[in-house]
Amino acid sequence: MAEARSFACPSCGSALAIRGLENTALVVCGQCGAAIDAKDPNLKVLAKYRSNAKYQPLIPLGSRGKLRGADLECIGFLRREVVIERVPYRWSEYLLFNPYTGFRWLTESQGHWALVETVRELPQVAGAARHGGKTYKHFQKAWADVVYVLGEFPWRVTVGEEASIDDYVCPPFVLSREKSKDETVWSHGEHLEPREVWEGFKITGLPPGRKGVGACQPNPHRGLGTLFLVFAGLALLVQIATASLSQKKRVFSGSYDYAAQSENAKVTEPFELTGRTSNVGIRISTNLNNAWAYFSLALINEKTGKALDFGRSVSYYHGYDDGHWSEGSARDEVYLGNIQAGIYSLRIEPESDPGKTFRYGVEVWRDVPRWNLFWLALLLLALPALVQWIRWYRFESARWEESDHPWGGGDDDE
Amino acid sequence: MPVHKASCPSCGAPVDFRSSAALLVVCAHCRSTLLRKDMNLETIGRMADLLKDASPLQLGTEGKYQGKPFTVAGRVQMDYGEGTWNEWVLAYDWEHHAWLGEAQGRYMVTEEIPVKETLPALEGLAPGAEVVLNGARFEVIDIQDARCVGGEGELPQRIQPGFETTVVDLACPDGRFATLDYGDDPPRVYLGRQVPFEALGFKGLRGIEGW
């Protein structure tokens, strides 16, 4: 373990250690709350704080751990408080020391942990803060008080010491500006999973549960948007490839007159469907106007005589009351799937109101690329992405709920 | 890089000074402050004892900054009331030098620079205030009263132990740091960067027990 200069508390006689070497300016006795000037050869007591330890540090002072690859010894503990709309919020700060790389802070608030160090480069602030190529959004401004001190510090920290803190977040990072009367200090923190802290300091038992969403806690609901785009892109490629291989060939076209009194059943000239087994599109266009027609249709295989029967109704109505309206269409289009190559004909038998006459045309198309499956696939892919987005949104609004800028609260983002 | 060997005019102990920029050498044996005049050394006083500190550096520590190797040739120790910090002299190839401000595991490499602007009076400065140095805008981040404790090794300028000064730390969003030393009139300006410990590639550090 570390070499620690030890001495007896001048106030209560408890054994105290100095682990921060000559950096330590102040030691607060855990037994009696005496704040001792570590720079004074006579160990002058500067103040005396509450004798009953109200807060027990979760990481014992003097324990050494490893966080993010750095060896660090816990030497000091602070409880700080902000009051927002008359509600006090308290959090803990653990001072971690390494003689080569200096000090770090480990902060804990409602079970959320972050490893913090002072920044080397001054961030640029214009509403949001820019630092190291990232943009940090303003989260909260508050006046923080020190309410409890334990252990050692490189400056003479006092209970009641005040600073104004502005937090800016870019999860998993947080950037804070602390302004006291003679200093402005920027620090940069990174979210830690409680497990990392517990493993790093080899603490037994379980870390305290997290309440709510931490200011810089990474949102776990992410990534599906990209995944969705990837799969949608793949589906599009497949669709385009399929479409480019399609014949999309008109194999028959004819037009006929319908008159109620005459024999209206027609059988077309045979036409040939070629290529792979694929779809056949039947397009019917009419000059129906405020009228309807029903077409009984059959695609007949000339060789086997097998008929595929189906019916289509076409109706088109329009008029003018309280504005123009229309219903239906004078055209229709239908696709029959899985039709083998061969010689076919089409039987068409329209019906309509008695006495009605109209003209209609029929076209038969072979192997037409279809987009309906593609849209369906896109919809199915979009569903999980949407669900994920809702989760992401709920997580973010829970985070910002605790900030000065709650989402949907009508508060602008500065 | 010739090593100039001499002996201390006070105690006779051998004194090496290698940096051509060195103006002052502190005898490691008797702590006499020796002023260098060409090849001769003249005793001008006795250097105050340095305070024990937690610095992992020592004279002779080697390292690298921006690809250039350096050797720690000297230091000045400053006391700001709640603790001390060091300004180490980094000798590059024994001709040029830079300063390495070091305290509590933070390292700042700076060089003294001339500035075009007239610097603001100390009284008008507070954290957050703007100071322009050669056209670049800096922000005051810290103002500290300090006292020179003493020095050791080879120093490029005369120092006066006990001399009180006020130093103003400045930062710029492009990552540069500057320090204004109001101990002189006009204030001396040092410009550089804060550098992570790992980036300095130190060799020959002082061992710290337990670490």
Side-chain angles (χ1 to χ4, degrees), chain B residues 5 17-18 38 50 65 71 87 93 95-96 112 124 134 153 156 166 179 190 201 206 209-210:
Chain B
K5 289 197 179 294
F17 58 98
R18 297 190 285 178
D38 293 326
L50 297 178
Y65 178 62
T71 305
E87 294 290 348
D93 60 36
E95 286 196 15
H96 304 97
E112 192 173 353
N134 293 330
T166 301
T179 298
Y190 299 88
R206 184 169 77 88
E209 219 185 307

Short mmCIF file of all heavy atoms in Angstrom, two decimals, chain B residues 5 17-18 38 50 65 71 87 93 95-96 112 124 134 153 156 166 179 190 201 206 209-210:
data_model
loop_
_atom_site.label_atom_id
_atom_site.label_comp_id
_atom_site.label_asym_id
_atom_site.label_seq_id
_atom_site.Cartn_x
_atom_site.Cartn_y
_atom_site.Cartn_z
N LYS B 5 32.92 22.33 -17.16
CA LYS B 5 33.21 21.88 -15.80
C LYS B 5 33.88 23.01 -15.05
O LYS B 5 34.77 23.68 -15.57
CB LYS B 5 34.12 20.65 -15.83
CG LYS B 5 33.40 19.41 -16.32
CD LYS B 5 34.17 18.16 -15.96
CE LYS B 5 33.46 16.90 -16.42
NZ LYS B 5 32.19 16.70 -15.71
N PHE B 17 27.93 22.97 -15.78
CA PHE B 17 26.77 23.61 -16.41
C PHE B 17 26.88 23.38 -17.90
O PHE B 17 27.91 23.56 -18.52
CB PHE B 17 26.61 25.08 -16.00
CG PHE B 17 27.77 25.95 -16.29
CD1 PHE B 17 27.78 26.74 -17.42
CD2 PHE B 17 28.86 26.00 -15.41
CE1 PHE B 17 28.85 27.57 -17.67
CE2 PHE B 17 29.93 26.82 -15.67
CZ PHE B 17 29.94 27.60 -16.80
N ARG B 18 25.79 22.92 -18.42
CA ARG B 18 25.82 22.44 -19.80
C ARG B 18 24.99 23.31 -20.72
O ARG B 18 25.19 23.34 -21.91
CB ARG B 18 25.33 21.00 -19.83
CG ARG B 18 26.26 20.11 -19.02
CD ARG B 18 25.94 18.68 -19.21
NE ARG B 18 24.74 18.30 -18.49
CZ ARG B 18 24.22 17.07 -18.53
NH1 ARG B 18 24.78 16.14 -19.27
NH2 ARG B 18 23.15 16.79 -17.85
N ASP B 38 30.80 34.45 -18.60
CA ASP B 38 31.55 33.64 -19.56
C ASP B 38 31.85 32.28 -18.95
O ASP B 38 30.94 31.54 -18.67
CB ASP B 38 32.83 34.36 -20.01
CG ASP B 38 32.50 35.60 -20.83
OD1 ASP B 38 31.48 35.53 -21.56
OD2 ASP B 38 33.22 36.60 -20.71
N LEU B 50 14.73 24.53 -0.67
CA LEU B 50 13.43 24.29 -1.31
C LEU B 50 12.54 23.53 -0.33
O LEU B 50 13.03 22.79 0.52
CB LEU B 50 13.62 23.47 -2.59
CG LEU B 50 14.45 24.15 -3.68
CD1 LEU B 50 14.60 23.22 -4.87
CD2 LEU B 50 13.80 25.46 -4.10
N TYR B 65 9.06 16.64 -25.85
CA TYR B 65 7.88 17.47 -26.08
C TYR B 65 7.82 17.84 -27.55
O TYR B 65 8.79 18.36 -28.10
CB TYR B 65 7.92 18.73 -25.21
CG TYR B 65 6.74 19.64 -25.44
CD1 TYR B 65 5.44 19.19 -25.18
CD2 TYR B 65 6.91 20.91 -25.96
CE1 TYR B 65 4.35 20.00 -25.42
CE2 TYR B 65 5.81 21.74 -26.20
CZ TYR B 65 4.53 21.28 -25.93
OH TYR B 65 3.44 22.08 -26.17
N THR B 71 16.11 17.72 -21.39
CA THR B 71 16.60 17.29 -20.07
C THR B 71 16.20 18.38 -19.08
O THR B 71 16.30 19.56 -19.39
CB THR B 71 18.12 17.13 -20.09
OG1 THR B 71 18.47 16.25 -21.15
CG2 THR B 71 18.64 16.56 -18.79
N GLU B 87 8.53 25.47 -11.53
CA GLU B 87 8.78 25.81 -12.92
C GLU B 87 10.11 25.15 -13.26
O GLU B 87 11.17 25.60 -12.80
CB GLU B 87 8.87 27.34 -13.10
CG GLU B 87 7.57 28.08 -12.84
CD GLU B 87 6.48 27.85 -13.90
OE1 GLU B 87 6.81 27.29 -14.97
OE2 GLU B 87 5.32 28.20 -13.64
N ASP B 93 18.61 20.28 -26.39
CA ASP B 93 19.96 20.27 -26.95
C ASP B 93 20.88 21.31 -26.30
O ASP B 93 21.82 21.81 -26.91
CB ASP B 93 19.93 20.44 -28.49
CG ASP B 93 19.28 21.75 -28.94
OD1 ASP B 93 19.45 22.75 -28.25
OD2 ASP B 93 18.58 21.75 -29.97
N GLU B 95 20.70 24.31 -25.80
CA GLU B 95 20.80 25.66 -26.35
C GLU B 95 19.52 26.44 -26.15
O GLU B 95 19.55 27.62 -25.82
CB GLU B 95 21.15 25.61 -27.84
CG GLU B 95 22.59 25.22 -28.04
CD GLU B 95 23.09 25.51 -29.41
OE1 GLU B 95 22.43 26.26 -30.14
OE2 GLU B 95 24.16 24.96 -29.75
N HIS B 96 18.42 25.75 -26.39
CA HIS B 96 17.14 26.42 -26.19
C HIS B 96 16.54 25.87 -24.91
O HIS B 96 16.87 24.77 -24.48
CB HIS B 96 16.21 26.12 -27.36
CG HIS B 96 16.80 26.52 -28.66
ND1 HIS B 96 17.44 25.62 -29.47
CD2 HIS B 96 16.89 27.72 -29.26
CE1 HIS B 96 17.90 26.25 -30.54
NE2 HIS B 96 17.57 27.53 -30.43
N GLU B 112 8.83 31.87 -23.00
CA GLU B 112 8.59 33.30 -22.88
C GLU B 112 8.50 33.90 -24.28
O GLU B 112 9.30 33.58 -25.15
CB GLU B 112 9.73 33.95 -22.09
CG GLU B 112 9.38 35.36 -21.70
CD GLU B 112 10.40 36.02 -20.78
OE1 GLU B 112 11.33 35.33 -20.32
OE2 GLU B 112 10.25 37.22 -20.54
N GLY B 124 -7.47 45.31 -12.93
CA GLY B 124 -8.65 45.18 -13.78
C GLY B 124 -8.96 43.74 -14.16
O GLY B 124 -9.90 43.49 -14.90
N ASN B 134 -0.95 39.00 -28.85
CA ASN B 134 -0.60 38.95 -30.27
C ASN B 134 -1.82 38.61 -31.13
O ASN B 134 -1.77 37.75 -32.01
CB ASN B 134 0.52 37.92 -30.51
CG ASN B 134 1.80 38.38 -29.87
OD1 ASN B 134 2.07 39.58 -29.74
ND2 ASN B 134 2.61 37.42 -29.42
N GLY B 153 19.83 23.88 -9.72
CA GLY B 153 20.31 23.56 -11.06
C GLY B 153 20.65 24.81 -11.86
O GLY B 153 21.02 25.84 -11.31
N PRO B 156 17.95 30.05 -16.48
CA PRO B 156 18.21 31.01 -17.56
C PRO B 156 18.01 32.46 -17.12
O PRO B 156 18.26 33.37 -17.88
CB PRO B 156 17.20 30.62 -18.64
CG PRO B 156 16.08 29.99 -17.88
CD PRO B 156 16.67 29.36 -16.66
N THR B 166 2.45 38.16 -8.65
CA THR B 166 1.10 37.65 -8.93
C THR B 166 1.14 37.07 -10.34
O THR B 166 1.63 37.72 -11.26
CB THR B 166 0.05 38.78 -8.85
OG1 THR B 166 0.12 39.35 -7.54
CG2 THR B 166 -1.34 38.25 -9.10
N THR B 179 0.70 32.34 -19.24
CA THR B 179 0.84 32.84 -17.88
C THR B 179 1.45 34.23 -17.96
O THR B 179 2.41 34.45 -18.70
CB THR B 179 1.77 31.90 -17.07
OG1 THR B 179 1.17 30.63 -17.02
CG2 THR B 179 1.96 32.41 -15.65
N TYR B 190 4.38 34.08 -20.80
CA TYR B 190 4.80 32.72 -21.15
C TYR B 190 3.63 32.05 -21.87
O TYR B 190 2.51 32.08 -21.40
CB TYR B 190 5.16 31.92 -19.90
CG TYR B 190 6.31 32.54 -19.12
CD1 TYR B 190 6.05 33.52 -18.15
CD2 TYR B 190 7.62 32.17 -19.39
CE1 TYR B 190 7.09 34.10 -17.46
CE2 TYR B 190 8.67 32.75 -18.68
CZ TYR B 190 8.40 33.72 -17.72
OH TYR B 190 9.44 34.30 -17.03
N GLY B 201 6.60 11.54 -21.98
CA GLY B 201 7.56 10.42 -22.07
C GLY B 201 8.72 10.53 -21.11
O GLY B 201 9.88 10.35 -21.49
N ARG B 206 11.70 10.69 -10.22
CA ARG B 206 11.95 10.37 -8.83
C ARG B 206 10.98 9.25 -8.45
O ARG B 206 9.79 9.29 -8.82
CB ARG B 206 11.64 11.62 -8.01
CG ARG B 206 11.91 11.53 -6.55
CD ARG B 206 11.80 12.92 -5.95
NE ARG B 206 10.40 13.35 -5.76
CZ ARG B 206 9.69 13.08 -4.66
NH1 ARG B 206 10.23 12.39 -3.67
NH2 ARG B 206 8.46 13.52 -4.54
N GLU B 209 7.49 6.29 -3.13
CA GLU B 209 7.29 5.04 -2.42
C GLU B 209 5.81 4.67 -2.40
O GLU B 209 4.94 5.51 -2.17
CB GLU B 209 7.81 5.20 -0.99
CG GLU B 209 8.51 3.94 -0.51
CD GLU B 209 8.90 4.07 0.96
OE1 GLU B 209 9.56 5.06 1.30
OE2 GLU B 209 8.53 3.16 1.72
N GLY B 210 5.56 3.41 -2.66
CA GLY B 210 4.18 2.94 -2.62
C GLY B 210 3.48 3.01 -3.97
O GLY B 210 2.39 2.49 -4.13
#
